Amino acid sequence: MHSAIRLSWLARVPQLDRYAMGLSGLCAVHCFASAVLVALASTAGGMLLNPAFHEIGLTVAIILGALALGRGIFEHGYMAPAVTGSLGLGMMAGAMQLPHGNGGETLWTLIGVAILALGHDLNRRAAH
């Protein structure tokens, strides 16, 4: 009962999964744009490939994911969306450990983003 009361404020944000999916989309656009910009202009690409940019983005994704997917567990009781989203977040975090510039980081990040977005979509569908 106490956990339901503590998480009741999350129920007031019904679009949380949509926001998180939007953030996933922005991440995918960022990754693709970074790769293109690196190929076209190394100065602009260097700015977008700054590790702090990725660390902050991943932190925001983890926070939104925990809130939205965690709320889903309490709301509809299904673990599959949270597990799927967590796998995507883990792949994104793992991709940050790969060397820049060889394409592997971008590929694994995009796969992780897609899996995370799938988790949020499953969460959104389960709530309706």
Side-chain angles (χ1 to χ4, degrees):
M1 182 72 166
H2 294 291
S3 62
I5 293 170
R6 279 184 264 151
L7 294 173
S8 65
W9 67 272
L10 285 174
R12 294 186 207 131
V13 189
Q15 302 298 325
L16 195 56
D17 283 304
R18 288 182 189 253
Y19 296 149
M21 288 170 65
L23 180 64
S24 295
L26 287 174
C27 179
V29 168
H30 162 74
C31 290
F32 182 74
S34 294
V36 170
L37 286 174
V38 166
L40 296 176
S42 62
T43 56
M47 200 169 41
L48 289 173
L49 291 174
N50 184 339
F53 190 85
H54 293 112
E55 292 164 5
I56 292 168
L58 181 62
T59 301
V60 171
I62 290 171
I63 291 169
L64 271 178
L67 290 174
L69 297 170
R71 178 194 66 184
I73 294 170
F74 288 101
E75 188 176 297
H76 50 68
Y78 297 121
M79 291 288 294
V83 170
T84 303
S86 296
L87 174 65
L89 285 168
M91 290 179 78
M92 292 165 59
M96 287 182 61
Q97 306 308 311
L98 297 174
H100 287 294
N102 66 359
E105 178 194 20
T106 302
L107 175 66
W108 284 108
T109 298
L110 289 173
I111 292 170
V113 165
I115 293 172
L116 175 59
L118 174 63
H120 283 297
D121 189 49
L122 292 171
N123 199 40
R124 184 182 59 81
R125 289 173 189 254
H128 291 97

